[in-house]
Each structure stands twice: as structure tokens, then as C-alpha cells.
Amino acid sequence: MNRAQRRAAAKHARRAKPARTLHQRTLQKVTDSLAGLQLLDDARPFDAGDTTDQHIKTRFAFGRLCDGTAGDDDFDRVAIAINMAKVRALDIDLQLADLLAVAQNAMTALRKRQERWGKWDVLPAERGAVQYALDASEAIVDASSPLQMRIAMGVVRRSIQKNQGAKHD
């Protein structure tokens, strides 16, 4: 790039950005003023019934795992529910987190059996551990805020990505 081109590029970079319209400035102020309310709304616990449909879907997915008709999506739904509950339980009660770890181990064993034999086969001891974990998960989710659950999902997502990266190495 010669000297004239460098000067032209610098002049272009210094050129003022076009002014925002009145509507854009007003919209920005309204959005900024509502940010606090949005944060407060995200930080409050879920309302009664907000999460019921998700709990039902997770219970049905677990039922399909138990009867052997599940798919990978059903396993993932149950495993993620347990993992998110474990992340939240680490903030709440370490004994609860330890009990949820038993369910995580049961889900890991279930996945290994499925990969080896090609079918979902939940053992009775695993069924009890996962059932308890799903009960705890529902209670934890209902008492948590949307913000807390998004943070827990982020932790789970990073853990999954880290584990997938380790498998490919």
C-alpha cells in the first residue's frame, strides 16, 4: 500500500459514523431503562407450572429408557437434567450433589451398555438412582431462577464440549 492509499484509508477510518436517528436513540434509552427489570425478572424463581411441560417430557424420556424404546435424544434429555441439577446442587448442598453423582454414574453405565450392546437396558439399581435424581432435579429447577438455570446449562455445555474434545484427541 503506497502513501496515498494509507492516507485515504486513515481518513476513511476517522470519518464520523452517521448519526443515529431519533427513533434509534429513543429505542436504545428504553432498552437500557428496561435492562434492570429484565435482570430482576430473570433472577426470580420460576412461576408455578412454568417448568411442568419440561418435567413431563423428561419423565417420558426416562420411561422410554426404562422400557428400551428410547433414542439418543431421550438419553440426552435425562442426562442433561441430572447434570444441570448437579451443577445447581453444588451451590445448594454437597450431600445432594453426591447423591446426584450416583445417578450420573448410572447414566454413564447405561450409555456404555448401549454403545456395546446397541440397546437401552436400565438396571433396577440404576432406575432408583435416576428416579431420585429426577425428583431432585424437578425440585431444584422449580426453586431456581431462569438465570441460574442458564448458568448451569452453560457449565454443562462447556463440560460436554471439553469431554468431546478429549475423546477426539
Side-chain angles (χ1 to χ4, degrees), residues 22-33:
L22 179 61
H23 175 71
Q24 289 170 328
R25 287 190 306 256
T26 304
L27 185 62
Q28 182 65 37
K29 287 179 185 176
V30 169
T31 304
D32 290 344
S33 67

Side-chain angles (χ1 to χ4, degrees), residues 14-87:
R14 288 190 306 264
R15 190 173 295 159
K17 295 179 182 175
R20 292 190 302 182
T21 65
L22 179 61
H23 175 71
Q24 289 170 328
R25 287 190 306 256
T26 304
L27 185 62
Q28 182 65 37
K29 287 179 185 176
V30 169
T31 304
D32 290 344
S33 67
L34 295 178
L37 292 176
Q38 180 63 38
L39 182 61
L40 287 174
D41 188 48
D42 279 352
R44 65 159 178 73
F46 286 106
D47 291 329
D50 278 355
T51 57
T52 302
D53 60 333
Q54 297 303 316
H55 295 325
I56 291 170
K57 288 177 185 178
T58 304
R59 291 288 180 167
F60 277 122
F62 180 60
R64 288 188 294 273
L65 281 172
C66 290
D67 66 22
T69 61
D72 286 340
D73 290 342
D74 294 322
F75 176 85
D76 291 342
R77 174 178 276 282
V78 174
I80 286 175
I82 293 170
N83 290 337
M84 286 175 47
K86 169 98 181 276
V87 170

Side-chain angles (χ1 to χ4, degrees), residues 61 64-76 79 105-123 126 167:
R64 288 188 294 273
L65 281 172
C66 290
D67 66 22
T69 61
D72 286 340
D73 290 342
D74 294 322
F75 176 85
D76 291 342
N105 294 337
M107 293 297 287
T108 301
L110 175 62
R111 170 59 87 182
K112 287 180 180 177
R113 278 196 306 279
Q114 191 277 335
E115 288 172 352
R116 183 172 184 179
W117 302 108
K119 65 177 186 171
W120 299 105
D121 185 24
V122 181
L123 301 177
E126 294 169 343
K167 286 181 182 179

Side-chain angles (χ1 to χ4, degrees), residues 76-105:
D76 291 342
R77 174 178 276 282
V78 174
I80 286 175
I82 293 170
N83 290 337
M84 286 175 47
K86 169 98 181 276
V87 170
R88 289 287 302 125
L90 290 170
D91 293 335
I92 298 168
D93 182 18
L94 292 180
Q95 290 178 341
L96 176 61
D98 291 340
L99 293 172
L100 290 170
V102 173
Q104 285 178 316
N105 294 337

